[in-house]
Amino acid sequence: MPNHEEALFSAVDALLEQVAQDPLPTPAERKRLREVAGLSQDQVAKALNARRESVGNWEAGRSEPRPPKRAAYARLLEGLAARFPTPATNAPADAPAPVVPEAFTGPAPEPTPAAPAAAVPPFRPTSEASSTTRPSATSRRPGTKKAVAKKPTASAAAVDPRFENGPLAVLDVEDGQVVAYCVGGLVLDVPAKTLPALVDWTLSEAKLGQARLHRSGYDADPMLVLTPAALERYGLPTALTPEERSAGRLNDRHKVVKQVERAGLELTKRGFGAWTRIFYRPEDGKRRCVQLCIPAWGALPTSEWDDKKDPKLPTMSAADLARFLGSYAERVITPRGFTATTGLALMTALRPPTRAEKDEETGTFERALNADALTQVYPVVECEVPDEHPVLKGKWPRHHQRTPDQMLMEEPFSWCRELTDDECLKPYLVGIDVNMAFAAAANSLVVGLNGPTHLTGNPAFDKALPGSWLVDLSHVDLSRARVGGRTVDGDRLPSPFTPSGERPTGPAWYATPSVAYAVQLGFDVAPIEAYVRTETGRYLDPWYDRLRDAYLATMADLGVTPGMDDNEFLEAMARVKDGDPALKLLLKAIKATAKGGIGKLRQRNSRGEVPFYEPWPALERETWRPDIRAAVLSTVRVIMHRKMMKTAAAADIYPVAIATDCLVYPSNGPSPLDLLPYTPDGKPVTGTFRLGVSPGMVKHEGTQTVLWAEAEFEKSGGLFNIARNIKNGRPADDDGE
């Protein structure tokens, strides 16, 4: 009987714990008590058998402890309050902070354009991210008090109430409950028990998504990132089988895929993979789609989103992952896949191909084309397409290597030369790297918006017409070029007309910027034929502006800002390596987006999606435009070469190696300050390479000794590019620059 009585009493005590919960101290007081006692969140979490994030949530006021942890937490706070009472103060009480209003229930607001640089959302460190919440009434945890809003910022004022919880959420399992970590530190309880129910909750209650960046575009789908724990909860594997990895998708016979189909949901043709879209058929023209991101299946590869040498994402907490990806979404766009895919999606989000136009006679809205966008797939040009394109089928033998007069070969520099005797006497080799070189080249670049027009019969060159020109530039001799009245030793500079830096030997295809540069240098050009676009525009300008603002805002968070003098800039850049790891990953992702977006304009069938000479899916896109990619890469080389010429004329120094956007110069000292030219009053010489954070300016890439370079040359038999190894003496990782 006593044992039965004790069991009854225990059951009653458990009920009392649930219904008779005395209010805990305020979140701020909880934090004060812990800190004044010298305890860490980890220590409290360990004592209560909870997670550190849970303790942070309790101290931020976005969630409340639940039984049985609540009673133990209350006992801890009571004991600390007895030892460390609140200090008395005569100061007047602060005015109450404004309360976050309830969710707006009126019609959707008019979409706003992309925010300017001043409105770029601040990157929230972990401590700050856990201090502000915006839970919705339908998904706030039981017992959680309404959050208090901070002073509104420019970005906060523009929040679309339909997406008040941010663009995305990271799903994890905490204390047996699925929770969603959102941007800004918000944590929501997720009631869904199955994947179809999760989709329904996301579309109806989560208030996730991102407003369109252009009034004629589309709102971004809400994005859910699933951690391994969330995968298990929803019946998904934490790793794909070898066969599934090869296919890039979950087996179509998997029970969750069948579950999705039975619920009336659909998947895209790519199936259920690392990046998955699950959707209902649109109703009344309204899109109903949720995007899933599954890092455990390879959604966030280290080459784009992480640090290759020291991966951070596998051990990153759900809150920090939401902070990282959420900041990327706010500054760039909600990720649509790999960074290259996202970079291309950003172009069309900022320059949508169509718009709604009202018919004055009928009063109905019809689809019309935007004049400043890429609106349809046009016929291709043989010289502009890669070797596997269907248009080349039967043109040459299977393994024929096309020559410059058969193929447009506009690629980045990859050039290296031997040092002269005088250069060998200098002790150092200093590398400088152009910031966001591909994005900077896209700025103000005029590109073709329509299909090609074939010009024959030796047409006159017109720099206003973007396209491809067959012209002989072998006569362009820069061996004794003059710049600003000074002679430059062109033999120590690469030719600007070939990626290898070698002088052309005959007719070749060039993009318009390359031919225009030959004219600027004072040489006659006589095109043989051309494919040009007559409708032109600065299609990439808003894309560049968006990425520039994201890049500069992230660099500012890392302590590097425009306007620093050269010494301050170099010191600030040296500190970046010890900066916030999540910020550095964000910076890398932004740079990879810029580079990958340009490369995606000529996406190849490199993975063998289809047989050689058969069409691959990318060819169906309006944005499959190899001519635009060629124009950007041509501009990268031209800009760099122009600055090399100016630098040589001003300081009589010449690069010895170039790899894409990194140049290496011999120097008497180990710093860029020891080689870059300055005027007598200490200002950089106009037109030369300048240190700074802005796209197109340069930073210090690395320094090695001349003796090191000579030894590497001997070991490689002359096949060694110093610029690819200048950073740390080993081949450089592709960091997306």
Side-chain angles (χ1 to χ4, degrees):
M1 185 68 180
N3 291 336
H4 179 64
E5 190 175 76
E6 288 178 7
L8 290 175
F9 286 165
S10 297
V12 170
D13 289 342
L15 288 175
L16 290 174
E17 266 193 344
Q18 295 181 37
V19 299
Q21 296 180 358
D22 293 332
L24 297 172
T26 64
E29 178 65 6
R30 302 171 198 174
K31 183 177 181 180
R32 184 195 73 82
L33 289 171
R34 176 182 59 77
E35 291 179 342
V36 75
L39 299 175
S40 67
Q41 290 183 350
D42 285 327
Q43 288 176 297
V44 174
K46 186 175 182 180
L48 299 178
N49 194 25
R51 297 177 56 181
R52 181 191 61 79
E53 289 83 357
S54 299
V55 177
N57 292 341
W58 302 340
E59 293 183 355
R62 67 172 157 267
S63 67
E64 293 290 309
R66 289 177 290 193
K69 293 182 176 64
R70 181 184 175 92
Y73 188 47
R75 181 179 178 85
L76 171 66
L77 295 176
E78 182 180 358
L80 294 177
R83 297 189 182 188
F84 308 102
T86 304
T89 177
N90 296 323
D94 292 337
V99 175
V100 174
E102 295 290 343
F104 181 77
T105 57
E110 184 71 16
T112 56
V120 171
F123 187 82
R124 304 172 180 89
T126 304
S127 58
E128 182 181 340
S130 63
S131 64
T132 305
T133 58
R134 295 182 284 105
S136 64
T138 58
S139 54
R140 190 184 307 117
R141 296 189 187 189
T144 302
K145 298 181 180 179
K146 181 167 293 203
V148 175
K150 286 189 171 184
K151 182 178 179 180
T153 62
S155 59
V159 169
D160 190 320
R162 296 172 298 158
F163 312 122
E164 66 176 22
N165 292 337
L168 56 86
V170 178
L171 267 58
D172 200 3
V173 178
E174 176 183 314
D175 298 335
Q177 168 71 40
V178 179
V179 294
Y181 287 86
C182 306
V183 177
L186 171 68
V187 181
L188 303 175
D189 275 338
V190 181
K193 304 299 183 184
T194 65
L195 196 65
L198 176 64
V199 173
D200 291 338
W201 173 81
T202 304
L203 294 173
S204 61
E205 295 187 49
K207 295 187 178 181
L208 295 172
Q210 187 176 43
R212 64 198 71 180
L213 299 181
H214 187 284
R215 63 178 300 150
S216 298
Y218 297 94
D219 297 328
D221 297 326
M223 174 175 153
L224 301 178
V225 184
L226 304 183
T227 63
L231 289 173
E232 291 181 344
R233 177 57 62 93
Y234 290 110
L236 293 165
T238 57
L240 298 177
T241 65
E243 294 77 12
E244 290 171 336
R245 284 200 304 272
S246 177
R249 58 195 290 173
L250 195 64
N251 192 304
D252 291 340
R253 298 186 299 275
H254 193 278
K255 62 179 182 180
V256 174
V257 176
K258 296 298 183 182
Q259 190 181 65
V260 168
E261 293 173 351
R262 287 195 299 270
L265 290 160
E266 298 184 42
L267 301 171
T268 61
K269 292 181 180 179
R270 292 186 177 274
F272 205 121
W275 291 93
T276 299
R277 290 189 181 276
I278 306 180
F279 62 94
Y280 287 105
R281 290 282 178 176
E283 289 184 355
D284 300 325
K286 185 178 180 182
R287 185 179 174 93
R288 299 183 298 162
C289 179
V290 175
Q291 180 179 226
L292 302 183
C293 169
I294 306 178
W297 295 2
L300 303 173
T302 57
S303 59
E304 301 178 8
W305 297 95
D306 207 349
D307 185 345
K308 282 185 178 180
K309 299 173 184 176
D310 183 19
K312 304 291 192 306
L313 295 182
T315 58
M316 186 176 284
S317 68
D320 285 340
L321 186 58
R323 178 170 62 110
F324 165 44
L325 294 176
S327 295
Y328 177 91
E330 289 180 327
R331 294 183 177 185
V332 182
I333 193 173
T334 302
R336 309 294 174 87
F338 297 153
T339 51
T341 302
T342 304
L344 195 68
L346 180 63
M347 293 182 194
T348 54
L350 294 167
R351 294 280 204 200
T354 60
R355 71 182 189 279
E357 186 173 76
K358 188 175 183 180
D359 188 317
E360 297 299 334
E361 295 182 359
T362 64
T364 60
F365 284 91
E366 299 179 351
R367 178 170 294 186
L369 300 179
N370 281 322
D372 58 358
L374 303 177
T375 57
Q376 66 183 81
V377 179
Y378 292 101
V380 298
V381 177
E382 285 187 8
C383 69
E384 295 174 349
V385 300
D387 294 335
E388 65 272 21
H389 197 280
V391 76
L392 300 179
K393 186 174 184 179
K395 188 78 174 178
W396 291 288
R398 173 68 173 80
H399 298 288
H400 172 74
Q401 186 72 34
R402 285 194 287 170
T403 55
D405 62 331
Q406 298 169 344
M407 180 180 183
L408 179 66
M409 296 183 180
E410 296 286 15
E411 300 293 338
F413 271 127
S414 180
W415 169 82
C416 188
R417 65 171 174 85
E418 293 185 358
L419 279 67
T420 66
D421 292 341
D422 289 340
E423 290 170 340
C424 286
L425 295 177
K426 296 183 178 182
Y428 297 104
L429 294 172
V430 177
I432 55 175
D433 185 84
V434 181
N435 301 324
M436 297 278 285
F438 291 84
N443 183 28
S444 301
L445 179 66
V446 176
V447 301
L449 301 177
N450 64 338
T453 298
H454 191 194
L455 305 180
T456 58
N458 300 317
F461 174 69
D462 186 349
K463 66 178 182 180
L465 294 177
S468 303
W469 304 79
L470 180 61
V471 58
D472 189 349
L473 298 181
S474 60
H475 64 287
V476 177
D477 183 7
L478 300 178
S479 60
R480 299 295 293 171
R482 293 185 64 82
V483 179
R486 296 184 180 181
T487 302
V488 173
D489 182 3
D491 289 336
R492 286 197 278 169
L493 292 173
S495 167
F497 307 116
T498 63
S500 65
E502 299 295 326
R503 186 170 168 175
T505 58
W509 286 100
Y510 299 98
T512 297
S514 294
V515 186
Y517 186 51
V519 174
Q520 180 187 351
L521 291 172
F523 295 91
D524 294 330
V525 297
I528 302 168
E529 62 174 312
Y531 290 90
V532 298
R533 279 79 181 175
T534 54
E535 295 178 13
T536 63
R538 296 182 174 181
Y539 173 74
L540 294 171
D541 274 9
W543 180 82
Y544 163 77
D545 291 340
R546 182 80 172 177
L547 289 171
R548 175 204 60 201
D549 294 346
Y551 172 77
L552 291 178
T554 307
M555 290 300 295
D557 288 339
L558 285 165
V560 188
T561 59
M564 289 179 164
D565 66 38
D566 289 355
N567 282 295
E568 289 176 330
F569 171 72
L570 291 174
E571 291 172 0
M573 287 299 297
R575 292 192 294 269
V576 166
K577 66 178 184 296
D578 298 320
D580 186 330
L583 265 177
K584 292 191 292 183
L585 294 186
L586 175 60
L587 182 67
K588 177 179 180 178
I590 293 170
K591 294 192 291 184
T593 303
K595 183 176 181 181
I598 296 300
K600 201 78 170 175
L601 291 169
R602 196 192 70 157
Q603 181 178 352
R604 302 188 63 175
N605 182 28
S606 56
R607 296 183 181 178
E609 293 178 272
V610 297
F612 221 74
Y613 296 135
E614 294 296 323
W616 59 95
L619 302 183
E620 300 175 2
R621 294 195 314 251
E622 296 89 344
T623 50
W624 195 83
R625 290 292 299 270
D627 58 302
I628 296 180
R629 172 188 177 272
V632 172
L633 298 186
S634 169
T635 303
V636 170
R637 289 204 324 272
V638 166
I639 291 175
M640 291 176 66
H641 195 274
R642 187 182 293 120
K643 291 184 178 182
M644 282 184 258
M645 296 272 283
K646 293 274 190 179
T647 303
D652 193 31
I653 58 172
Y654 298 84
V656 297
I658 308 173
T660 308
D661 46 20
C662 176
L663 305 93
V664 176
Y665 280 91
S667 174
N668 289 317
S671 168
L673 297 175
D674 297 315
L675 66 94
L676 295 179
Y678 292 86
T679 62
D681 58 354
K683 295 182 179 179
V685 174
T686 302
T688 62
F689 294 107
R690 299 182 59 179
L691 290 170
V693 68
S694 298
M697 301 178 79
V698 300
K699 61 180 180 291
H700 184 205
E701 179 69 2
T703 298
Q704 298 290 338
T705 65
V706 170
L707 294 176
W708 164 84
E710 290 178 342
E712 294 294 335
F713 266 125
E714 290 181 5
K715 285 194 297 184
S716 67
L719 302 176
F720 177 75
N721 190 328
I722 302 170
R724 296 195 182 279
N725 300 265
I726 194 68
K727 191 167 188 175
N728 51 26
R730 299 189 301 274
D733 291 328
D734 183 0
D735 66 352
E737 183 76 55

